[in-house]
Each structure stands twice: as C-alpha cells, then as structure tokens.
Amino acid sequence: MLHGLSLFPKRFQSLAKYLGLFGLCFLLAVGCNGKQQTSAPSPSTSASSGAGSDRVTVGMTVKPRTLDPADSYEIAGLNLIYNLGDTLYTYEPGTTNLKPQLAKEMPKISADGLTYTIPLRENVTFQDGTPFNAEAMAFSLKRFIENGGKPSFLLKDVVEEVKATGANELSVKLKQPFSAFTAVLAYAGTCAVSPKAYELGSGKFSPSQFVGTGPYKLAEFSSDSIRLTPYENYWGEKPKNGGIDLQIYGDNSANLFNAFRTGAIDIAYQSIEPEQLKSLSDGAEKGQWQAVEASGTAVNFLALNRKQAPLDKLEVRQAIAALIDRNLIRDRVFQGEAEPLYSLIPTTFDVSQPSFEKAYGNANIAKANELLAKAGYSAQNPAVVQLWYPSSSTPRSLVAATLKAYAEKELGGALKFEPQAVEGATFFKNVADGIYAATLSNWYPDFLDPDNYINPLVACSKGTETEGCTEGGAKSQGSSYWNKDVNEEIQQQRKEKDAAKRKEIFAKIQEQIAADVPYIPLWQNKEYIFVKNGVEGVKLNPAQSIPFASIKK
C-alpha cells in the first residue's frame, strides 16, 4: 500500500561544506509548513467534549474517503473501521501477534494448506439488531471480493470459495496455499457487516454508513467531523469513554498542531510534519502533554530502475547503496524521529535481517568510489541519476536535497543526483509505467506479515534476465527487478507452514536483494500520538490503528 504520508555522534564537522545547502532547504520547509496560526479552529463537537465530558476528541488532517469496508484502502478509513467493526482475527494490542476476535479460535488448516475451517462466536449481534452467524460472515467476505473495491485483490487473488458449513462455522478454500492468510483475515476491511444494511454486487458501496459488530456505532460522518458512540449491545469489553469525536483539519498539519497545543483536542494523530513533531516531543519531555511512541511498519526506500542508464549497471546501484548515510537522514531530516533501515522488511518482524548493513555498511565512501570507478564513472564522466519524488512530500524533498549534496561532497562529482518533484498522481502513474530512473517511495503494509513487503515490491510474474520485469510487483513499484531464484523463494515462503523454515527463506531473499539492489531501504517510520494530560489508555498498533475503546478521561 503506497502512501504519501510520512511522520515522521555526529559527523557535522566533516559535513560543513554541504550543510549550508541543506540548512537552506530545511529552513524553507519550516517556513512553509511550520507557520504558527494566530488561532486554531475548534472542533464542532467541542461542547460535548469539554471539561466534565467523558467523550474524547481526536484531531487528524485526512478525512476518510469511505467507510465501506469493501472499498476502504487508506489508513484514515481503516482506523475508523477497525473501531467500528470486528474481524475474524485481530492483533494483541501493540504487537503483530494474531488472536481470535469473531472467530472462537485459530483456524484449522487442512493438510494440503487449502481449506481453513473457522468456528465463530455465538451471541453476537450487528448494530442494527441482525444476528451474526456464519452466513453473515460468508456474505461479508463474498461482498469484499465480488463488489470489486480497492482492496478486493487481497482475498480475490487467493480465495476460491467461502461458505457456511454450520450455523457458527465458516469454511474458506484457497486457490493455493498461503501461509499469511490468517493475517489477511485481520485486515480491517474483512470485518463482518450486516447483510440487511449492505448489498452484494459490483460497485455497490455505501461510503458514508457503517453497520458492523464493533464497540462503536457511527453517529455522524460529515466533511470535517465524525462522531462515534458506544454500541450498547457489544459482545466484548465495553468502551471506557462516552464516545469519540474526530475533527478533520483538511491536510493542514499546522492547524492540527495548534489545536492540540491550545487544548482544543485531546489527541493529535496523523499527519504531523517533522519540525512540529520535534516541538511536540520536546513539550512531552517537559510534562506539558504525553507522547505515545511506537515503531511504525511503513518502510521508506529508493527504487532503482535497472532498465534505465546508469542504473542498468549493477556497480552503480551498489555504489549508491554503499554511499547512503542513514544516520544523517535520521538526524538532519527527521530530527532523530526515524529509524535507519537496512531491509525492506521492517524490524517489527523477527525475520528482518540488516542485509544492506552487512553488504555495504553505512556511508562506505571508499566502497562507493571503488564501485563507480569499476563501472567507468568519474568526475570527468559522472553517473547522473534523476531522483523523483511527490511534490507534496516535504520529507522526501529534504532527503533528495541531502543525497544530492552528500554525493557531490563525498564522491567528488563521480555521482550526481538530480532531484525532480512531480504531483502525486502523476508520480505514482509514472512509477508504474517505468518512466523514472530512481524514486523516493514508501510502502505501508496491507496486512502484517513479512510477505506483504517482499511479494508486492520484489515478485515478478513475467519477465526475463534481459528484459527485467514486465509484469508484477517489481514493475509496478519502479525497479523492473527480475530474479528467477528470488521469485521461486517468494512462492516457497508463501506455502511454508514451518515458521523457522520460512524465516530461513526470508533471510535468503533479503541477502539477494542486497546483492542485486533493486531497492535501497532508507528509514523506518516512528509513529507518534500526542495526548493531553489526564487522558489514559492511548495505544498505537503496528497497523497504525488506535484502539479507541481503551481510552478514558
């Protein structure tokens, strides 16, 4: 899942020559994005959320595009659906450990890995009073597949058949074994929805309503505010608050920033620019409010297109991998509020291996110069790489400027980056069309399993060593990567039931990616929620959802 959002000792004496350029870029970014507003808009629901109220007000900058689970594919909508509905499986709060939710226990999987038998909870009702049972759950999953929404491929590509095999027993047959399938069933959009409130059929969506089985009901869904109220007949633990009021600040992080600082909202979450993040983190250290921090599951990387010169030469791609100073990016762009990343699989998962650190180290200038010389490049004959990114992303603009200046200083002109910005929709289309040589991109997982970082980015369903990838994830993400062995290993791990053996396969894949360099992992997001003092129970899950029910004032 690609997104344009990012939340976001010292070698500074040796970097003095280029920090002037960086400082200018940084100051421009602060000036454009960190302006203090003389006043911040107050939530439309502030009267019901003020002193003495047990309702909680949450500020965000992005309004959900839809609340229909079968069509929701963005974090803002999925966070709400997570709190309004229930899935068959979910995660222990704050972890990637699966547990049953509407299912009574983990699935029974047939010996061939194709059939999942799932016993369901009893005495559960939808928010319109309709009983929940296996037929209702089968309807929900079929609707997710057949209505053709944005995330429908998550089930459509792997599920052969869904049916009720008893009043409270569900059977799902897969097209082929898929070891991460239970994690897919924890995707918020696969939640149960009332058969009386929704229709089955291509394109039949209900973007502004929600009727599920979760701890909250949808009370209001408008352009700038959303209201949730506790569902009185919820089968599980009841919410510890009187409801949630979400205030939408229309992509204006400065207004969100100021609304929190002035006490207009209880919680600030997504999206906060790096300089605002630093200010709020400093305030939390002084006890002015609370900061809830968690390692994010988004990965940020350079995609290098092997079909475009000079990146068609392996040595050039490896030289760039050796050049990268992740600590510099962390400290100067993100003010320390990011984590250096050495694999496409984030450190959240135990299969993650620092393969790029093992192969290239960090800021290995001697190795970078050696590789460029081997490829025939020098100050007199530089390798010139256009580096593209979405124009709306201030962090990527700063990263691009940093890489350009750093390469000029450290490599004596043998490698030159040329940063290029373009509007977001054009950027993503051109990435998929293979137009760009190099891009600054990111990936948010659809479901929490290492497969969802490797398969969508690296797998290639059609291609050759000569042509590169002509169809598949590697093409659509801009690298054109093709490696026969890696493709086979990806399929092996998708079928492997043994966790230890699967971990070994992922280790081989990561090692090969570091050798071939279709992508260079750069940083892993840290995610933050800022919380008013006196508000308790705020947590952040790896999937970036906030369990509203545990929050109390």
Side-chain angles (χ1 to χ4, degrees):
M1 184 188 296
L2 286 168
H3 292 270
L5 303 176
S6 289
L7 293 180
F8 352 99
K10 300 181 181 178
R11 303 177 59 200
F12 299 148
Q13 288 184 344
S14 67
L15 300 176
K17 286 179 65 178
Y18 95 95
L19 283 180
L21 171 63
F22 176 83
L24 174 62
C25 295
F26 185 76
L27 289 172
L28 285 172
V30 172
C32 292
N33 295 285
K35 291 180 181 178
Q36 299 297 313
Q37 307 290 321
T38 55
S39 61
S42 297
S44 60
T45 56
S46 59
S48 63
S49 305
S53 170
D54 63 351
R55 293 187 65 85
V56 176
T57 305
V58 179
M60 301 178 68
T61 58
V62 182
K63 179 190 174 182
R65 176 182 59 87
T66 178
L67 291 184
D68 193 314
D71 194 35
S72 184
Y73 194 51
E74 298 82 23
I75 292 171
L78 291 171
N79 184 40
L80 281 170
I81 292 169
Y82 167 80
N83 285 283
L84 289 164
D86 295 318
T87 46
L88 287 167
Y89 299 96
T90 189
Y91 296 95
E92 295 284 353
T95 77
T96 57
N97 300 324
L98 284 164
K99 69 173 185 177
Q101 191 171 46
L102 286 177
K104 284 201 298 188
E105 58 189 47
M106 299 305 287
K108 297 176 182 177
I109 306 172
S110 61
D112 61 7
L114 293 177
T115 302
Y116 284 60
T117 303
I118 304 170
L120 305 179
R121 283 188 186 276
E122 302 173 18
N123 302 315
V124 175
T125 60
F126 289 99
Q127 293 151 359
D128 61 358
T130 303
F132 167 78
N133 53 33
E135 289 289 351
M137 191 69 239
F139 167 84
S140 301
L141 296 181
K142 288 176 183 177
R143 183 175 183 273
F144 185 93
I145 296 170
E146 297 176 19
N147 284 33
K150 285 191 173 185
S152 61
F153 69 94
L154 290 173
L155 293 183
K156 186 176 182 180
D157 289 354
V158 297
V159 172
E160 179 72 33
E161 182 184 34
V162 180
K163 62 181 179 180
T165 48
N168 295 290
E169 183 182 89
L170 186 74
S171 176
V172 182
K173 184 178 180 181
L174 306 187
K175 296 177 181 178
Q176 60 274 325
F178 183 29
S179 55
F181 183 65
T182 308
V184 177
L185 295 177
Y187 178 77
T190 66
C191 65
V193 294
S194 170
K196 287 188 177 180
Y198 293 89
E199 291 183 85
L200 188 67
S202 179
K204 293 184 177 180
F205 300 117
S206 301
S208 59
Q209 75 164 27
F210 188 93
V211 184
T213 63
Y216 291 94
K217 296 186 295 185
L218 180 66
E220 177 187 334
F221 185 67
S222 66
S223 61
D224 62 357
S225 64
I226 301 168
R227 288 171 56 85
L228 312 183
T229 58
Y231 174 38
E232 60 277 8
N233 294 323
Y234 183 55
W235 61 270
E237 186 176 350
K238 303 295 190 296
K240 295 180 180 179
N241 53 68
I244 303 293
D245 299 317
L246 287 99
Q247 182 66 24
I248 312 300
Y249 288 93
D251 289 332
N252 193 323
S253 64
N255 281 351
L256 172 62
F257 173 72
N258 288 326
F260 180 75
R261 292 201 323 140
T262 57
I265 56 177
D266 297 314
I267 297 171
Y269 178 54
Q270 287 196 339
S271 293
I272 301 170
E273 296 290 346
E275 66 276 7
Q276 299 162 353
L277 184 60
K278 180 66 165 60
S279 175
L280 292 178
S281 295
D282 290 345
E285 289 182 2
K286 296 174 183 176
Q288 296 173 331
W289 42 72
Q290 306 167 67
V292 177
E293 175 184 344
S295 292
T297 50
V299 295
N300 300 266
F301 53 84
L302 263 174
L304 305 180
N305 190 342
R306 57 158 282 179
K307 295 178 74 172
Q308 297 219 17
L311 299 175
D312 55 346
K313 293 187 176 182
L314 174 61
E315 293 88 355
V316 175
R317 302 197 301 273
Q318 291 177 332
I320 297 172
L323 168 71
I324 300 297
D325 188 337
R326 293 167 179 79
N327 295 332
L328 176 68
I329 293 172
R330 175 196 63 197
D331 294 338
R332 303 306 296 167
V333 176
F334 296 99
Q335 305 292 288
E337 307 299 342
E339 299 174 359
L341 185 65
Y342 296 92
S343 170
L344 289 179
I345 302 174
T347 56
T348 315
F349 299 94
D350 65 357
V351 304
S352 177
Q353 298 285 331
S355 52
F356 275 78
E357 186 175 34
K358 293 176 182 177
Y360 307 102
N362 192 64
N364 190 336
I365 306 305
K367 189 175 186 69
N369 275 311
E370 176 188 335
L371 287 162
L372 287 170
K374 185 178 179 181
Y377 293 103
S378 63
Q380 293 72 38
N381 178 38
V384 180
V385 178
Q386 287 194 337
L387 181 54
W388 291 84
Y389 60 91
S391 56
S392 61
S393 176
T394 298
R396 280 169 179 73
S397 172
L398 297 176
V399 170
T402 301
L403 292 175
K404 171 181 166 61
Y406 187 63
E408 288 175 354
K409 176 189 178 297
E410 297 291 352
L411 300 179
L415 173 66
K416 292 186 177 181
F417 287 112
E418 294 182 346
Q420 304 283 341
V422 68
E423 181 270 333
T426 301
F427 172 81
F428 292 114
K429 179 181 183 301
N430 288 347
V431 168
D433 290 342
I435 291 174
Y436 300 139
T439 55
L440 283 167
S441 297
N442 64 0
W443 179 260
Y444 285 82
D446 298 312
F447 53 91
L448 294 179
D449 186 273
D451 173 80
N452 200 234
Y453 295 88
I454 297 300
N455 190 57
L457 297 174
V458 179
C460 181
S461 55
K462 185 178 180 181
T464 65
E465 178 63 37
T466 303
E467 292 182 315
C469 184
T470 57
E471 187 176 310
K475 180 184 183 299
S476 64
Q477 303 307 326
S479 72
S480 299
Y481 180 56
W482 186 90
N483 184 298
K484 180 175 179 291
D485 291 338
V486 169
N487 284 326
E488 290 176 355
E489 288 163 352
I490 289 172
Q491 294 308 312
Q492 288 172 15
Q493 65 79 20
R494 288 170 72 88
K495 299 175 182 178
E496 181 57 62
K497 297 179 182 179
D498 186 284
K501 291 181 180 178
R502 196 165 179 242
K503 186 174 183 178
E504 291 176 2
I505 299 171
F506 276 122
K508 291 180 182 178
I509 292 171
Q510 290 170 90
E511 182 179 348
Q512 192 61 52
I513 291 171
D516 295 340
V517 202
Y519 305 93
I520 301 175
L522 298 177
W523 75 91
Q524 178 177 341
N525 287 16
K526 284 184 182 178
E527 301 293 349
Y528 290 88
I529 311 173
F530 293 97
V531 184
K532 185 186 294 185
N533 287 333
V535 178
E536 301 175 359
V538 179
K539 304 171 185 175
L540 182 60
N541 290 326
Q544 300 185 71
S545 55
I546 304 173
F548 291 151
S550 65
I551 303 173
K552 62 180 180 180
K553 296 173 73 173

